[in-house]
Each structure stands twice: as C-alpha cells, then as structure tokens.
Amino acid sequence: MSSLATDAGDIALLYTKWANKSIYIELLKERGVPVVDADDLAEADWQRVTFATVWSPPAGLLAKCPNLRVVQSLGAGVDSLLAPGQVPQELPITRIVDPLMAQRMATWVVWGVISWQRKMEDYAAAQRSCQWAVDIEARGSNRDNAEVAVGVMGLGVMGQATAKQLLAMGYQVSGWSRSSSSHSECAAAGISCYAGQQQLEAFVRAQDVVVCLLPLTPETTGIINAQLLSWLRPGSAVINGGRGKQLIEADLLGALDSGQVDFALLDVFDPEPLPPTSRLPPPTLLLLLLLLLPLLLPLLLLLLLLLLLLLLQVDFALLDVFDPEPLPPTSRLPPPTLLLLLLLPPLLLLLLQVDFALLDVFDPEPLPPTSRLWSHPRVRITPHVASMTTMETAADQIAANYHSVAAGKGPLEANLVDRSRGY
C-alpha cells in the first residue's frame, strides 16, 4: 500500500532498511504527521520534503530535499548522519531519547558481566559436550560482585544508567568520558570518574571489565585498540555496545588469542551486519566428517532437549542441580530408531552440499567471509539489539518535533544533537 500524503503540502520523509516501515508510517500518521516512504516518493515531490526521519540513509538521499529543515534520526545513534557531506552543517539533527533504551542497555551489559564473572561460556561449552565440569569453578579466581571492577566508557544517558545499575548490584564501578561535564552526578552516586586522554590508561588498568558505550566521533574511532587492550588486567573482559568503528577487530582477536582478554561481548560491528562465514564443508572432508559422526551425538542430544522444551512450551531452562549427579552424558538419549531418523537429514545435507539456510539466520545481504569473530570460542555476538528503540516512544518524539518545526518553533531542545559530541 502506498504511503503518499493526500494533500499537496509539506512532506515528512521516512527512510530505513532496518525497522518495520509500515508500522512507523501508521504510528506517525495517527499522530498527524504527513509521512511518506522514500520508496514511494515521486521525483517531483522531493522538493516538498521539509522533515526527514531516517536511519543510515545512503549518500545523496538527503541532498535531494532542497527545502529540508530538520533531519531526525530514527534511533539514539546519529553517526551515519554525521558522516562528511551527509547533512549540511546549517541543518539541525535530532535523535530519539528513550529512557527504556538506557534500561535495556544496562540489562544487556549486566548479562555480559555475569557471563564472564560466572564463567557461563565455559559451562555452555561443557554442556554441549555432555561434561559434568565441576572443575570450571577451580579455574582462575571466583570473585563476588564487590571484587569485580567494571569500567564504563561513556557517561551519557546509557552509560550512567549502566554504571548505576552495576553499582546497585555491588560491583566496583568507574566511568571514563572525554570531558568531566557529567562527573558531578556520577561521583555523587559513588562512581569513580576519569576524564580525558590523559586519564584513560589509569582508568583501563584499574578494570576487570571494560564497557564501551561511547558515541562515535573522530576521537573515539579505533579507541579499543592494541594499546588499550594491553593496559587491561590479564584475563579481563571487553563489552562493546557503542559503535563498531570504535573497536579494531584484529587487535581484539590478538588479545583473545593471547589470553590477555578472556571474553568479549559485542553488539556493534564495522561493517554491520557482521558477515557470517559459511561452514559448508568441501567434498574432500565428507569422509572425515562421516568418520567423526559419533562425536556429533552431543549435538543431537541438545536438539532433543530443545524439542522437548518446545513441546512443553518452555522458553528457556537453566539447571544447576540434577538427580543423579553428576548428570550422565546419556541423559535424554533418544531411542535408536529415532536417533537413526535424526542422523539421516545431516547425512543427506552433507552429501548434497546443502547449507540448510544458515545464512538466513543473520541477514540476507552480501556476506564476505572475513570475520573470525563468528567462530571465536571466547566471543559472544548480538546483532545490534542491546538497546532497541520503542516504536511508540519514537513516534511520539518524531511527531512532536515535526509539529514544532511545522509551527515555526524549530526542533525540541531535548532531542537536538551536538555534532561535536556525537549525540
């Protein structure tokens, strides 16, 4: 269905390849915004665009709007709009400010800290191989929250919410920012504060976990590099929810391989989406795979457990006690006839060289097979979902800004972006 406005007045342009455009169009029209999908806009109507709501627009798109007054980001991030030549300097940029996004980010970071602290990745690996690995707790140190130092880089809305959540859970929390403008509130909450390049090394050396929630600017591009990682305590963790260009992938992989970094939780990448690498085996490996087929039995057991959970309408199960203990590797072992049926599809897929839509799980875009992050055993990946925008909240703010601009009052102060700060 076309989203064209019904009159010949001003147009609010919508461009995104990420969000559900039809829902946004419905929400904005309900709020009185004459929104038009960029894909539906006739060539002669680009001059009617006075307000643009976009997410990662292609170069040159906004230049087609000679009467544009404001550019509104569809999310909290604005780095794609700050690229040279994307938005003229004289045009204001606004963004979404959603308190729930800060809460979601804090929850995601807490999950990452606990995953590293409680060795959950090791337990997941042991479960996949049906090992009752009580020795995992003896590896390294077992630290309570008060013994774990977490440093948050970036003390904006999301950084402060994250730092305060960690502090409430008893962690030692520090914060670093490019300036000390937000330090009074953080210090009052009990957060140790560092500022500027001159204090960055001291900040990093004091941490067990470093969390990056910085905006992307020329100063923060590549900030998580080999030098910064060398300052970390050995066996530490890195969590990046800021922007992909702030992390140098090769440097992180080197630190992971050396053991300097024990765990990484990543939600943002450069490029994005992170391209998955096809694991399709060449024909010469088929015989070897068939010979190693008995080693795939643990995977089949896991599939059976997942099937059981689905049948019972259980979303997730985290188990720490069993009867008997230790849990025998044969737990939930399927009957031989069912096992044979389960083995046939993988065998057919291998023989026919079918990849069973592994790529569809991630993204349908071109997929260069360059990143080792997908397969690294000490890396956990989420696809830029650490802090999602609430569509209704976003629509409220977009509509409020549109009506303010249409009334000649300009964009709302609360949503204005400071280009020099990146947010």
Side-chain angles (χ1 to χ4, degrees), residues 300 303-304 307 334 337-347:
L300 294 174
L303 290 173
L304 283 175
L307 179 60
T337 53
L338 178 57
L339 184 59
L340 180 60
L341 290 175
L342 288 170
L343 287 172
L344 284 176
L347 283 172

Side-chain angles (χ1 to χ4, degrees), residues 49 73 164 210 230 301 375 403 408:
V49 175
S73 171
K164 290 175 181 177
V210 165
S230 72
L301 298 178
S375 57
H403 291 303

